[in-house]
Amino acid sequence: MTIAFAFSFTATGQGKQRDHDSAFYDSYRDKLTARTYLSRKYTTLKLSPPGQVPVMAYKPNTTLNIGIGASYRSLTINIGVGLNSFNPDEEKGKTHYLDLQSHFYGRKWNFDFLGEFYRGYFLSPKGLGSTGGQSYYLRPDLSVQFGGVAVYRALNERNFSYQAGLVQNEWQKKSAGSVLIGAEAYYGAIHGDSALVPGTLDPSYKQNGISKLHFFEIGPGIGYGYTLVLKEHYFLLGSASINLDFRYSREKETGHDADHVDVSPDFIVHAGAGYNAARWGISLIWVDNQIYIKGGGSDYRYRITTGNYRLIYAKRFALGRKTKKALKPVENLEKTK
């Protein structure tokens, strides 16, 4: 069983209604937005070799999570529980993981914090790299660990609300979009007890003994987000950003290390669809971060993709006097920003 907690504070004080155009969206941040959700998180590793060697995708066998959460003003708390009984694919092996994805969406600033600690993968497609080609090639020793943050500023916060589609405490009533500008930084490592690539697929890779890869990257980015609203209630949200990162990587080979420095792009995608109204909403959300790394010794290209899918039902409640008094510290926190 896995348990995940997420705590978030929006990045700017947002208690005043004049900081947005109510003709485009309504804010319910003075109410309690309660939610239930189903989600599945993932962190995959894809290896693209030079030449005629097939592309390899290592995938985790993660659980389906069931959770509850609530938002009030700048505070959001979500608690999710994953039950292994919902995931009977034992032939894909076991994945042990701690996934600390946190996505904070404010009126102006948006943060994607990532803390990924995964161990235990299977190779896709089925049969690739395995003896006989009838089962999954399992790597219980393979681990992917990395952390970092992407920070973006929405330039049209008066008309465009990320929170409406992704946090459910606002309601986008008219279509609008915004240019996004920001930056990201990550550090990570890929470790295996033996060569990352099966010897049956690439003997030269195994011969080099490349079992570890470390990387660091940092760079600016730009993107665009847009919410299409139909009949005031139905919405489609999409945003994409590209980051041009300075990247340093080190492949650890038998007897020496191979370093590589380059500049290349990464991508961040947010997407959502659903129904929103004054008292409740339902939405399907997808968040995806893609990190690209170039090997210095093998000439392999590595891609780490991390994200989650989430189906959410949210309902908003007016708070009584006693409850508002108990939550007064959250309101005071906003006033200090």
Side-chain angles (χ1 to χ4, degrees):
M1 181 176 72
T2 59
I3 302 177
F5 298 88
F7 300 87
S8 67
F9 292 88
T10 55
T12 59
Q14 300 165 2
K16 299 179 181 179
Q17 291 298 316
R18 65 173 179 269
D19 63 3
H20 73 282
D21 188 342
S22 59
F24 280 85
Y25 64 88
D26 289 338
S27 179
Y28 303 98
R29 300 177 68 259
D30 60 339
K31 295 185 177 182
L32 180 70
T33 300
R35 68 182 62 83
T36 60
Y37 64 87
L38 297 173
S39 72
R40 187 183 295 273
K41 297 181 177 182
Y42 58 87
T43 294
T44 64
L45 171 63
K46 189 173 184 179
L47 294 85
S48 299
Q52 302 300 315
V53 181
V55 174
M56 291 155 273
Y58 282 108
K59 298 181 179 181
N61 191 13
T62 56
T63 62
L64 177 68
N65 298 315
I66 301 173
I68 59 174
S71 297
Y72 176 69
R73 292 191 178 273
S74 59
L75 176 65
T76 292
I77 299 175
N78 293 318
I79 302 174
V81 177
L83 300 178
N84 291 327
S85 58
F86 293 162
N87 303 269
D89 294 331
E90 295 182 358
E91 66 173 339
K92 296 180 179 179
K94 293 183 178 180
T95 299
H96 303 279
Y97 66 98
L98 176 62
D99 192 314
L100 301 177
Q101 295 181 41
S102 298
H103 307 281
F104 305 162
Y105 307 111
R107 183 71 42 84
K108 297 179 179 179
W109 291 96
N110 306 288
F111 298 79
D112 290 308
F113 291 96
L114 299 177
E116 311 299 313
F117 306 91
Y118 279 69
R119 185 180 182 88
Y121 281 81
F122 66 93
L123 191 59
S124 179
K126 187 176 183 179
L128 186 65
S130 66
T131 303
Q134 300 299 316
S135 60
Y136 286 104
Y137 178 77
L138 303 181
R139 288 297 300 266
D141 61 299
L142 179 61
S143 67
V144 177
Q145 303 176 0
F146 74 96
V149 60
V151 183
Y152 272 84
R153 167 73 158 89
L155 300 184
N156 186 26
E157 75 278 4
R158 285 189 56 81
N159 298 338
F160 173 74
S161 171
Y162 247 139
Q163 292 178 297
L166 301 175
V167 184
Q168 304 88 42
N169 62 355
E170 293 181 336
W171 171 16
Q172 187 87 42
K173 301 169 72 174
K174 292 177 63 176
S175 299
S178 177
V179 172
L180 310 169
I181 56 173
E184 67 175 11
Y186 300 109
Y187 172 79
I190 302 168
H191 284 190
D193 292 344
S194 58
L196 301 178
V197 175
T200 55
L201 298 178
D202 191 349
S204 63
Y205 190 102
K206 183 177 181 181
Q207 184 177 2
N208 290 335
I210 304 172
S211 60
K212 297 178 176 64
L213 173 74
H214 290 224
F215 66 91
F216 170 76
E217 59 181 52
I218 187 170
I222 188 169
Y224 189 78
Y226 187 82
T227 299
L228 174 66
V229 178
L230 303 173
K231 296 183 178 180
E232 207 173 64
H233 295 281
Y234 300 93
F235 71 90
L236 292 172
L237 166 67
S239 77
S241 59
I242 181 172
N243 297 272
L244 191 62
D245 288 356
F246 165 82
R247 181 177 296 106
Y248 165 77
S249 65
R250 169 174 289 182
E251 281 182 324
K252 293 185 174 293
E253 304 182 22
T254 301
H256 73 284
D257 299 334
D259 297 337
H260 183 75
V261 176
D262 66 352
V263 176
S264 62
D266 286 346
F267 301 93
I268 303 174
V269 176
H270 297 76
Y275 178 93
N276 214 343
R279 300 185 65 179
W280 67 280
I282 186 169
S283 56
L284 179 64
I285 295 170
W286 174 49
V287 179
D288 186 82
N289 290 57
Q290 298 186 21
I291 298 173
Y292 291 81
I293 311 146
K294 179 74 160 49
S298 67
D299 206 31
Y300 267 61
R301 294 186 179 274
Y302 304 82
R303 184 177 75 184
I304 298 175
T305 303
T306 186
N308 70 81
Y309 304 93
R310 182 172 291 188
L311 177 64
I312 303 169
Y313 172 76
K315 191 168 184 179
R316 307 179 186 102
F317 299 91
L319 298 178
R321 184 182 306 172
K322 292 183 179 180
T323 305
K324 280 189 175 182
K325 185 177 180 180
L327 294 173
K328 190 68 175 179
V330 178
E331 183 178 352
N332 293 337
L333 179 65
E334 286 189 348
K335 293 178 180 179
T336 63
K337 298 179 180 180

